[in-house]
Amino acid sequence: MRKLIVGNWKMNGLGAALGEAQAVAAGLGEAPARVGLCPPATLVERMARGLAGSAVRVGGQDCRAEASGAYTGDVSAEMLADAGAVLVILGHSERRAGFGETDALVSAKVEAALRAGLEPIVCVGETLAEREAGRALSVVTGQVRGSLPAALAGRDFSVAYEPVWAIGTGLTPTTAQIEEVHAAVRAELRAVLGESGERAPILYGGSVKPSNAAEILSAAEVGGALVGGASLKAADFLGIIAGA
Ligand code: 13P
């Protein structure tokens, strides 16, 4: 299966940045990978319009579990889909840590995404303190078990392993460390979802850049990458895609 490479723009990008998305689409050619871009909510609709007919799929970075209601400031999965999104990142560590998102809440958001027809990318990952305490595998497999609802069986989705200490730091785990966690995630996915857990790509995220992408993407059970900073510039993101 072709790798899935998704860019997470986080809270970056005004209208002028849409040119980068267009440049990604224009530069893909016979892309060796499936590609997605998740801009801030304000840009989802414009980016989706601009990329219509291209191979780049657009996604949101979060959604509320409810479809609508008195939730000032929030965006629902249905709203993202209505704006042209087909993907949504859920349970990112910046949401788990900054907004107190629990596995149960992430699981409810995944159900909302499926209800709206979005393909969820569910993020998991340990902190440095958890890794140093020898708890990386138990934390990550616990997040997989708690964040993935049974409703994912038979649906398209992916899991992104993003060690918190590798996000935005320039640090990356060794290939052996990535392979160890990805193997544990795969085993947990199989246990929770059976055959559907066998098919879902497991992405790696955390300081992926053009210079390390090929090595990371060739590691066992790495089905793609979730890219933050290096997805903001088309040249860098295309360089990562070229490593797939
Ligand atoms: P960086 O690639 O900037 O480390 O961010 C990774 C990430 O959090 C993607 O969701």
Side-chain angles (χ1 to χ4, degrees):
M1 177 128 89
R2 286 192 306 158
K3 308 279 185 195
L4 174 61
I5 315 287
V6 177
N8 173 10
W9 280 13
K10 307 192 179 183
M11 199 178 77
N12 295 292
L14 303 176
L18 290 167
E20 297 296 327
Q22 294 300 136
V24 169
L28 273 185
E30 292 291 303
R34 298 181 295 142
V35 175
L37 278 175
C38 300
T42 48
L43 290 183
V44 166
E45 180 147 23
R46 272 182 284 170
M47 186 184 285
R49 277 188 211 282
L51 294 177
S54 84
V56 182
R57 296 188 297 158
V58 176
Q61 299 174 8
D62 178 43
C63 70
R64 179 119 194 160
E66 292 80 2
S68 63
Y71 305 110
T72 302
D74 280 352
V75 173
S76 70
E78 283 78 0
M79 290 167 178
L80 289 174
D82 187 48
V86 294
L87 303 167
V88 64
I89 297 167
L90 295 171
H92 193 283
S93 63
E94 287 154 15
R95 306 251 2 136
R96 290 179 185 264
F99 297 85
E101 294 197 3
T102 60
D103 290 340
L105 180 66
V106 175
S107 178
K109 290 182 174 201
V110 172
E111 289 187 339
L114 296 175
R115 182 184 71 215
L118 299 177
E119 182 180 317
I121 301 166
V122 185
C123 302
V124 297
E126 83 285 359
T127 63
L128 188 57
E130 288 164 341
R131 173 161 287 273
E132 287 176 346
R135 296 179 51 230
L137 294 184
S138 64
V139 166
V140 168
T141 55
Q143 288 174 333
V144 169
R145 185 167 287 268
S147 306
L148 299 185
L152 282 170
R155 305 290 296 266
D156 288 331
F157 71 99
S158 56
V159 172
Y161 168 55
E162 299 205 304
V164 176
W165 51 273
I167 295 176
T169 59
L171 301 172
T172 49
T174 63
T175 300
Q177 286 173 324
I178 293 175
E179 291 183 339
E180 181 185 37
V181 177
H182 280 229
V185 170
R186 178 63 70 205
E188 195 65 31
L189 279 172
R190 254 186 228 122
V192 175
L193 293 168
E195 206 267 323
S196 301
E198 199 71 65
R199 285 191 293 118
I202 304 171
L203 317 183
Y204 168 79
S207 298
V208 177
K209 47 191 184 228
S211 60
N212 63 18
E215 184 178 347
I216 290 171
L217 289 166
S218 62
E221 283 289 13
V222 174
L226 185 55
V227 184
S231 70
L232 294 170
K233 288 276 164 268
D236 290 342
F237 195 48
L238 287 167
I240 289 169
I241 294 165

